[in-house]
């Protein structure tokens, strides 16, 4: 038998489902997967992230990942197994002691901040995403935040109220989707809150006082 267990490279307890593994027989016995080798079939996923192929006869075999789980990078390597013991189960790993792991596909996010009075630095944003991702970032002097190596998926970008943003209208949260090998840009603009300050004194009353003063002087 041949078996393997797929794991998320960043979260080892997370088993990955939906992969397809092909198994080839080393028909010409040269230890290299080539056009002469026979495709035996695909491994069966017997439970989440666990793949099997049973009852293989004495010979050499190649295991190759054909389709990676959604959101993960395909392992393009080929793994050789030689069946030489009756009843034995051979486990295939691409990283010793960790099983068959896959790296998540990743992208980047850029937040660009502008405001009605030109202030850009010091605004805070919370970014929440898959697998419990939650971090807070602050804009630099150019009004930018760049976040790299984000796993693909949907994220929520929320502007936070702090000492800099308290005098501005806070933007609504934005939901974005990170895709592999691309940088997504989110632009956030704030209008400064303006307050109408009443003028000191009252022009109408002032005119009345001037009139009264004129009458008293006659």
């Amino acid at each position: 038998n041949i078996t393997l267990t797929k794991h998320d490279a960043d979260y080892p307890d997370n088993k990955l489902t939906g992969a397809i593994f092909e198994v080839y027989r080393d028909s010409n016995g040269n230890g290299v997967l080539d056009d002469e080798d026979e495709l035996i079939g695909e491994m069966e996923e017997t439970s989440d992230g666990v793949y099997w192929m049973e009852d293989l006869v004495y010979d050499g075999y190649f295991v190759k990942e054909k389709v990676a789980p959604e959101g993960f990078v395909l392992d393009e390597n080929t793994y050789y197994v030689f069946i030489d013991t009756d009843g034995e189960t051979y486990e295939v790993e691409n990283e010793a002691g960790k099983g068959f792991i896959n790296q998540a596909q990743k992208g980047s996010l850029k937040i660009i901040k502008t405001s009605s009075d030109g202030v850009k630095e010091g605004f805070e944003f919370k970014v929440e995403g898959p697998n419990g991702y939650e971090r807070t970032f602050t804009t630099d002097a150019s009004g930018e935040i760049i976040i790299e190596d984000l796993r693909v998926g949907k994220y929520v970008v929320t502007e936070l109220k702090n000492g800099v943003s308290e005098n501005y209208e806070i933007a609504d949260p934005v939901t974005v989707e990170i895709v592999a090998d691309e940088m997504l840009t989110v632009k956030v603009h704030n209008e400064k809150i303006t307050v109408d300050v009443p003028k000191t004194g009252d022009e109408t009353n002032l005119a009345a006082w001037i009139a009264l003063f004129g009458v008293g002087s006659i």
Side-chain angles (χ1 to χ4, degrees):
N1 311 312
I2 295 176
T3 185
L4 62 85
T5 304
K6 287 191 70 63
H7 298 275
D8 184 331
D10 297 323
Y11 302 92
D13 291 336
N14 182 20
K15 293 182 181 179
L16 303 179
T17 186
I20 297 176
F21 286 92
E22 294 180 329
V23 178
Y24 293 81
R25 189 174 194 167
D26 187 14
S27 301
N28 55 16
N30 65 359
V32 178
L33 180 61
D34 52 36
D35 293 339
E36 295 180 8
D37 296 322
E38 177 189 1
L39 175 62
I40 300 297
E42 296 176 354
M43 299 181 74
E44 177 185 0
E45 186 173 5
T46 57
S47 60
D48 286 352
V50 180
Y51 300 78
W52 279 81
M53 181 171 281
E54 299 179 323
D55 298 329
L56 294 168
V57 299
Y58 179 99
D59 212 337
Y61 296 87
F62 301 101
V63 177
K64 185 173 179 62
E65 187 172 29
K66 179 181 178 181
V67 177
E70 184 177 0
F72 288 82
V73 179
L74 179 70
D75 185 331
E76 298 183 351
N77 296 312
T78 300
Y79 298 90
Y80 183 74
V81 179
F82 194 86
I83 305 292
D84 62 359
T85 303
D86 188 48
E88 185 78 12
T89 295
Y90 297 81
E91 184 165 0
V92 178
E93 296 181 312
N94 63 357
E95 189 163 333
K98 295 185 178 181
F100 202 104
I101 66 171
N102 282 82
Q103 297 289 339
Q105 295 177 328
K106 296 181 180 181
S108 304
L109 174 66
K110 176 188 283 189
I111 300 172
I112 300 177
K113 179 70 174 178
T114 58
S115 64
S116 58
D117 63 349
V119 177
K120 303 176 182 179
E121 186 174 6
F123 291 90
E124 287 187 333
F125 289 86
K126 179 173 65 175
V127 179
E128 300 169 278
N131 299 98
Y133 182 93
E134 181 178 333
R135 289 188 60 186
T136 300
F137 302 89
T138 304
T139 56
D140 59 18
S142 63
E144 293 185 354
I145 296 169
I146 296 178
I147 312 169
E148 298 180 329
D149 294 328
L150 289 176
R151 297 163 69 95
V152 297
K154 291 185 178 181
Y155 290 77
V156 178
V157 179
T158 305
E159 183 175 16
L160 302 177
K161 183 172 286 188
N162 64 4
V164 176
S165 63
E166 63 182 357
N167 295 321
Y168 297 83
E169 296 179 2
I170 299 296
D172 293 332
V174 177
T175 299
V176 298
E177 185 160 3
I178 299 299
V179 298
D181 303 319
E182 293 185 16
M183 177 175 285
L184 179 69
T185 299
V186 175
K187 297 182 179 180
V188 182
H189 181 78
N190 290 72
E191 292 290 332
K192 189 164 186 179
I193 299 172
T194 57
V195 179
D196 292 332
V197 180
K199 297 178 180 178
T200 56
D202 188 299
E203 294 179 354
T204 304
N205 292 337
L206 178 60
W209 278 107
I210 292 174
L212 287 173
F213 178 77
V215 172
S217 303
I218 298 173

